[in-house]
Amino acid sequence: MGLGTVETLSKKDYSGVGSLYTDFESDLGADAIIGNFEFELLAGRQTDIPAEGDHYFQMIGTDDVVPNFFVGLVELKASLTGQTYAPVPTTVPEELYFNCFMYSDAGPHGLGIIDFYVDENNNGTYEEAGDVAFRVPVDYNLATWDGWIQVSHPMSEIQNNGTPITQEQLGKIVNIRLLLISDLNSQPNPPLQVGFGIDYMIFTNGEPLEL
């Protein structure tokens, strides 16, 4: 796992360094499924503080009625790349890195989670019954940083109930899910806003994305 602070001074071209999943520069359309749970979830592309390019994706939840845990999610289908499965430069788990930029305003009550869904039944879509999810082994505590950070993980660390992802499964990642959670145990009453931003999701071969 790698983390690093990102200060956005100007646009940088990362093309040619890996296999891009999305940079959020184009409208996501039907390739993004937004799930709203207990909070009033605001989710979509924004332009005010991108880490790269002109757009990033933001998830914000607010509610002052009941205590909450699951705020909402977005499922980003691999079809947004123009392919059925996520384009990856290698299927060797120890060599393949997932990278992105994540934004937090250091609000003390939010968590961000990244999941990878694998098409186990080979029908080209994710189905809850029969397919399997692998999780990045870190729940990002949004209180621990302010601004953009780089997130980089070797895919050999991605697990499902303690079982690492395989080479075959790496070739069948059918979507990536971003989940926003409110830390119920730390929230005041009424609860405060939680949220995060994400930008430039890319797979690299052999090493993390270099800034």
Side-chain angles (χ1 to χ4, degrees), residues 31-160:
D31 293 318
I33 300 174
I34 296 175
N36 190 349
F37 290 104
E38 298 163 341
F39 269 53
E40 180 182 354
L41 177 70
L42 304 175
R45 295 163 65 237
Q46 303 293 332
T47 60
D48 55 326
I49 49 167
E52 184 278 340
D54 297 316
H55 295 82
Y56 71 103
F57 194 86
Q58 183 183 64
M59 299 176 69
I60 294 178
T62 59
D63 196 333
D64 60 1
V65 180
V66 295
N68 297 284
F69 181 63
F70 292 109
V71 178
L73 62 82
V74 59
E75 294 183 354
L76 301 171
K77 299 180 182 179
S79 52
L80 62 81
T81 68
Q83 302 183 36
T84 301
Y85 302 123
V88 293
T90 178
T91 57
V92 178
E94 294 78 13
E95 294 295 320
L96 182 64
Y97 283 78
F98 170 75
N99 312 267
C100 67
F101 301 127
M102 290 184 70
Y103 178 85
S104 171
D105 63 2
H109 306 296
L111 299 173
I113 296 174
I114 304 173
D115 291 331
F116 298 83
Y117 283 85
V118 172
D119 177 23
E120 291 282 80
N121 58 14
N122 299 309
N123 68 353
T125 62
Y126 168 70
E127 295 178 342
E128 188 172 353
D131 291 334
V132 62
F134 290 84
R135 177 158 290 179
V136 170
V138 174
D139 293 348
Y140 287 98
N141 185 336
L142 303 177
T144 58
W145 81 92
D146 187 358
W148 287 102
I149 60 169
Q150 179 181 340
V151 170
S152 295
H153 285 281
M155 293 298 285
S156 56
E157 294 183 357
I158 310 303
Q159 297 183 352
N160 173 267

Side-chain angles (χ1 to χ4, degrees), residues 173-188:
I173 296 173
V174 75
N175 74 21
I176 298 176
R177 183 177 77 166
L178 311 173
L179 180 63
L180 175 61
I181 285 179
S182 172
D183 185 357
L184 182 60
N185 292 328
S186 72
Q187 278 279 22

